[in-house]
Amino acid sequence: MTLPPPIVQVRGLTRRFGTGCPACPELTGPAAETNQCPRCRSVTACREVSFELHSGEVLGIVGESGSGKSTVVRLLHFDLAPTAGEYRLNLNGAAAAGLPWLEPGQNLFELGPHQRRQLRNRLMGIVYQNPLLGLRLKVTAGGNIAERLLMAGWRRVERMRERAADLLARTEVPVERMDELPRHFSGGMQQRVQIAKALSTDPAVLLLDEVTTGLDVSVQARVLDLIRSLQRELQIATIVVSHDLGVIRMLTTRTLVMRYGGIVEQGLSDQILEDPQHPYTQLLVNSTL
Amino acid sequence: MSRPARAGAPADWRDGLPPGRDGYSFAFLDAGAKREIRRRILKAVAIPGCQVPFGSREMPIARGWGTGGLQLTLALIGPEDVLKVIDQGADDSVNAVSIRRFVQRVTGVRTTTDTPAATLIQTRHRIPEEPLRPHQILVFQVPIPEPLRLVEPSEKETRRMHAEADYSRMWLYLYEDIVTYGEITIGARYPVLVNRRHLMDPSPIPRWDVERLDRNPALMLFCAGREKRIYALPPHTLVEPLQFEDVPFRVESFAGRRCRRCGSARSFLDEAIDEATGRRSYACSDAAFCEKVRKAGGRTAPEPEEGGP
Ligand SMILES: Nc1ncnc2c1ncn2[C@@H]1O[C@H](COP(=O)(O)OP(=O)(O)O)[C@@H](O)[C@H]1O
Ligand SMILES: [Mg+2]
Ligand SMILES: [Zn+2]
Ligand SMILES: [Zn+2]
């Protein structure tokens, strides 16, 4: 039996901040134990990151602060442009139908800004650690969801409101608060509105960047439960970024461990957590026990 | 452009323009300035609804008082043009009068208040009620040329939105308006989509006039002097107000009211409140149209006035 092709394929993803110099690749990364080049001071936030994500799979990216996790997610969401790398999506018929210009096997980083924006709006959902990045706090909760529907060409107010109400109900935001500003919501509720917004256009890929970091522990548990149950129901291919091994354990099946911008270990999450191979992963696992 | 070509220019014309009068070039602007503005107009006509920057000149009237419109008028006007200038529908407001006098003085052209008789009409905030014809040019004075300014302060970002035809932020504004107020509250400056491509600010005309932009046979030109932008609707251009399928665009309703002067029930009405009695009454905003209807034997007896609030 042959497996279907992965929905996301990433090859050699690299992003440097700064002008860079010929010595950067040598003098940065896990082996060099720094992400900053001592010669030119440029930071290589992620380097040569390659992985695949399969349909319905939840992939974790774990690593300490500054290891490059958010950079990877932002590159995949086109918030940032890469220094190098390839990014491919294998879409099923329905997802591809709305994007007739998208060639199979196309490196998405070569697309123009307009196409990238369309692709992002149709196929991707993102939830940031900071709700300020993902929500317009001066726009109603329903309006935040409607914006993505409007971008996708929806033009009926009632239909958008039904869709927003449905998503808010699923993410356990009281529907009667739909026309309120998320500015007045608690942190946990803001995250749930972000999740509702991310799900609004039935994304093919969901990116969750430290969704629960900064929330109270009890609120964290509730948001994680929500993500897990949505995951079971919707089966969206998802990347979960966290520095918290508990989150990785609860949500993911496979995990990449990042350090100084590079992947130092990858495999099934259970195996990595039970029997870490790389000394850095061992340190991470032991320090949280 | 859509104006009839002039047969062989007189021998003493230079650069397609008649010789200067009273030490000024014909129509005040020098030939170089006119050429620049005309080039910009051509570009604007070629991309309907798209804002084109131009080098706005100092004019002998204060910015914000129609210097943009005036520059277009001066760049386009020829000796045989007939000029009409209105301010919110009135030919006799101080502003309209001073622009008309100025253009008259530097060109010697004939002026009129009669819409069909004019070849060139400069306007602030209204479209004349009488239908425009091919070969007429309507020049709008524009305070804020960028329709997205309402939702996005950054010029770089609005430029991106236009380039990608990404007007979701404007749509979102309308959605929020409906959710918050039960209706779209934008009165003047209602955003329109031109040729299904460019979002355009129609200048602060009432919604009443927005529908009349659509496929109008006249050439409509818009100019913001302060912000140095020109844009255009060539004749018969498709112009659609942004509207939801289930919340359609609506023009101002006068609920069966008529003009107290001419009796018209098919013109845009201004409301006046009598300070002594507090009673409201209504009259055509287009004064020349009102006068014409009256002369043609429209009702002259004042309508019964509406009660006060
Ligand atoms: N815009 C930026 N300019 C310069 N350096 C940046 C920028 N964004 C991130 N970095 C650097 O890149 C590295 C990786 O950051 P990030 O991807 O946010 O890590 P993580 O999410 O794992 O904490 C850090 O050293 C960070 O300081
Ligand atoms: Mg991060
Ligand atoms: Zn370097
Ligand atoms: Zn009247």
Side-chain angles (χ1 to χ4, degrees), chain A residues 3-16:
Chain A
L3 282 169
I7 183 160
V8 176
Q9 266 177 306
V10 174
R11 287 279 165 275
L13 190 59
T14 301
R15 168 69 205 219
R16 190 179 56 230

Side-chain angles (χ1 to χ4, degrees), chain B residues 258-264 267-269 282-287 289-291 293-294 299:
Chain B
R258 290 168 175 275
C259 170
R260 68 166 183 273
R261 287 197 228 106
C262 74
S264 170
S267 54
F268 185 77
L269 301 176
Y282 296 86
C284 295
S285 116
D286 184 339
F289 167 83
C290 189
E291 187 64 22
V293 174
R294 275 213 292 181
R299 286 202 273 159

Side-chain angles (χ1 to χ4, degrees), chain A residues 59 71 137 275:
Chain A
L59 177 72
T71 301
L137 297 189
D275 183 21

Side-chain angles (χ1 to χ4, degrees), chain B residues 15-307:
Chain B
D15 295 328
L17 296 170
R21 304 155 61 102
D22 310 331
Y24 286 118
S25 303
F26 175 80
F28 186 79
L29 296 174
D30 61 72
K34 284 181 189 167
R35 245 195 319 270
E36 140 99 1
I37 292 172
R38 289 173 186 168
R39 269 196 210 113
R40 299 289 131 186
I41 292 172
L42 285 175
K43 181 166 180 192
V45 165
I47 319 169
C50 179
Q51 299 165 56
V52 177
F54 80 110
S56 186
R57 306 288 165 122
E58 289 302 327
M59 296 306 288
I61 57 171
R63 284 198 176 164
W65 292 94
T67 54
L70 183 58
Q71 288 176 81
L72 290 198
T73 296
L74 294 173
L76 291 167
I77 201 161
E80 58 293 271
D81 268 311
V82 181
L83 176 72
K84 173 179 165 80
V85 181
I86 50 171
D87 181 355
Q88 311 222 38
D91 297 81
D92 60 357
S93 86
V94 176
N95 203 13
V97 170
S98 69
I99 289 175
R100 189 167 54 236
R101 283 218 186 108
F102 175 74
V103 179
Q104 222 267 331
R105 196 158 61 83
V106 297
T107 61
V109 299
R110 283 186 293 143
T111 64
T112 185
T113 59
D114 185 33
T115 297
T119 58
L120 186 58
I121 303 172
Q122 182 171 333
T123 176
R124 178 174 171 269
H125 304 186
R126 272 313 308 275
I127 298 175
E129 297 289 352
E130 283 186 85
L132 299 171
R133 289 176 291 106
H135 308 307
Q136 285 184 307
I137 298 180
L138 192 57
V139 172
F140 292 80
Q141 299 171 200
V142 178
I144 304 166
E146 178 51 76
L148 295 165
R149 190 64 72 235
L150 190 62
V151 295
E152 177 55 60
S154 150
E155 173 80 22
K156 189 173 166 231
E157 183 62 8
T158 55
R159 212 175 301 143
R160 183 209 51 84
M161 291 173 173
H162 285 298
E164 297 179 11
D166 172 11
Y167 299 127
S168 51
R169 292 282 300 286
M170 194 69 234
W171 284 105
L172 178 60
Y173 181 92
L174 301 182
Y175 169 93
E176 290 284 291
D177 227 14
I178 291 167
V179 165
T180 314
Y181 302 105
E183 61 174 344
I184 292 171
T185 58
I186 302 174
R189 294 190 62 211
Y190 195 96
V192 296
L193 199 60
V194 176
N195 267 349
R196 309 229 150 101
R197 175 58 183 82
H198 281 100
L199 193 71
M200 189 190 94
D201 185 308
S203 87
I205 55 174
R207 288 194 277 183
W208 181 273
D209 286 341
V210 165
E211 289 194 323
R212 304 172 61 228
L213 295 168
D214 183 33
R215 283 163 286 192
N216 197 299
L219 169 63
M220 314 235 196
L221 300 173
F222 299 78
C223 187
R226 208 174 1 177
E227 300 210 25
K228 304 183 174 65
R229 290 285 187 282
I230 294 172
Y231 48 100
L233 297 173
H236 307 291
T237 303
L238 186 66
V239 179
E240 300 163 291
L242 291 195
Q243 59 185 332
F244 291 104
E245 286 164 23
D246 53 346
V247 186
F249 174 79
R250 259 189 275 180
V251 301
E252 294 84 354
S253 157
F254 297 106
R257 291 178 179 122
R258 290 168 175 275
C259 170
R260 68 166 183 273
R261 287 197 228 106
C262 74
S264 170
R266 56 187 174 90
S267 54
F268 185 77
L269 301 176
D270 285 335
E271 186 182 77
I273 300 177
D274 186 308
E275 288 196 3
T277 65
R279 294 215 288 189
R280 291 156 195 266
S281 67
Y282 296 86
C284 295
S285 116
D286 184 339
F289 167 83
C290 189
E291 187 64 22
K292 207 175 211 181
V293 174
R294 275 213 292 181
K295 285 212 176 116
R299 286 202 273 159
T300 49
E303 276 292 294
E305 288 169 4
E306 299 292 319

